[in-house]
Amino acid sequence: MYCSKCGTYIRYNARFCPSCGKSVLEEKNGRADLVFSKKYDLNLYDTTLKANRNFLLYIFLSIITCGIYALFFWNSYTKDLNKVCNDGQNAPNSLIVFILSILTCGIYYLCWIYKNANRIKEAGNRFNVMVHENGTNMILWSTIGAILTVGIGFFIAQYFMISNLNKVIKKIKY
């Protein structure tokens, strides 16, 4: 959310703006309500946000196209993620993530999935959507889950990333 006084981004669990110190809570009828700027709402009702990404179709088309569809899919996913979160922490496009993940033996991918899973969780909190998985869950599924399930844990992490963003976008659009 953003401060209604100065427009600074405020973490979802903060009580005061870190920039100007204005209280985020406002007393109304004996009840504390969140007060925030609608600054982030400017692009959320964009009709290009896609809320029905299908995980099985993603896997199928990625196999058929030898991974080319996966780059397109994650690029589109990242654009929507950046629009929904609108927190100034824009995630890089999928080609950069792919190249840096190869160069760092997958470590960059783990950092990317951790950061963006936490961003989705925070966006879920902002829009009152229950998102159970956070960055730590995604790291565990991508590493330990992949080892214990012979690589399937990696896909489970991707499934959670896709379904969680779908949930948040559905809440925003409908």
Side-chain angles (χ1 to χ4, degrees), residues 18 29 33 42 46 48 50 52 65 74 124 132 143 151 157 161 169 171:
N29 300 329
D33 288 329
L42 296 175
D46 185 351
T48 62
K50 188 172 180 182
N52 60 349
T65 62
W74 287 107
H132 297 289
T143 55
M161 292 287 288
I169 292 174
K171 173 73 176 203

Side-chain angles (χ1 to χ4, degrees), residues 1-2 36-51 79-87 123 126-127 165 168-174:
M1 76 182 133
Y2 293 86
F36 54 89
S37 166
K38 300 247 181 204
K39 177 179 172 182
Y40 63 82
D41 284 336
L42 296 175
N43 64 357
L44 288 181
Y45 299 100
D46 185 351
T47 56
T48 62
L49 290 176
K50 188 172 180 182
K79 285 180 183 177
D80 284 352
L81 174 70
N82 289 336
K83 284 180 186 178
V84 167
C85 293
N86 196 17
D87 55 6
R126 182 175 27 177
F127 295 110
L165 186 61
V168 173
I169 292 174
K170 282 177 186 172
K171 173 73 176 203
I172 292 168
K173 287 181 80 169
Y174 307 110

Side-chain angles (χ1 to χ4, degrees), residues 32-159:
D33 288 329
L34 286 175
V35 177
F36 54 89
S37 166
K38 300 247 181 204
K39 177 179 172 182
Y40 63 82
D41 284 336
L42 296 175
N43 64 357
L44 288 181
Y45 299 100
D46 185 351
T47 56
T48 62
L49 290 176
K50 188 172 180 182
N52 60 349
R53 287 184 171 83
N54 187 316
F55 177 72
L56 294 177
L57 184 63
Y58 153 70
I59 296 294
F60 177 74
L61 290 176
S62 294
I63 291 169
I64 297 277
T65 62
C66 300
I68 294 171
Y69 179 76
L71 291 174
F72 166 77
F73 178 90
W74 287 107
N75 192 49
S76 169
Y77 176 93
T78 303
K79 285 180 183 177
D80 284 352
L81 174 70
N82 289 336
K83 284 180 186 178
V84 167
C85 293
N86 196 17
D87 55 6
Q89 303 177 32
N90 287 342
N93 73 37
S94 59
L95 187 59
I96 292 172
V97 172
F98 178 72
I99 291 169
L100 290 175
S101 295
I102 289 173
L103 292 175
T104 62
C105 299
I107 293 171
Y108 186 81
Y109 169 76
L110 294 175
C111 293
W112 182 87
I113 201 167
Y114 176 82
K115 176 183 173 185
N116 290 309
N118 285 335
R119 289 177 69 206
I120 294 170
K121 177 130 177 106
E122 208 166 293
N125 289 337
R126 182 175 27 177
F127 295 110
N128 296 321
V129 177
M130 187 62 85
V131 175
H132 297 289
E133 296 79 24
N134 61 15
T136 304
N137 298 118
M138 297 302 113
I139 294 289
L140 290 173
W141 275 115
S142 295
T143 55
I144 296 171
I147 293 168
L148 296 177
T149 61
V150 193
I152 296 174
F154 171 78
F155 294 106
I156 292 171
Q158 290 186 346
Y159 169 78

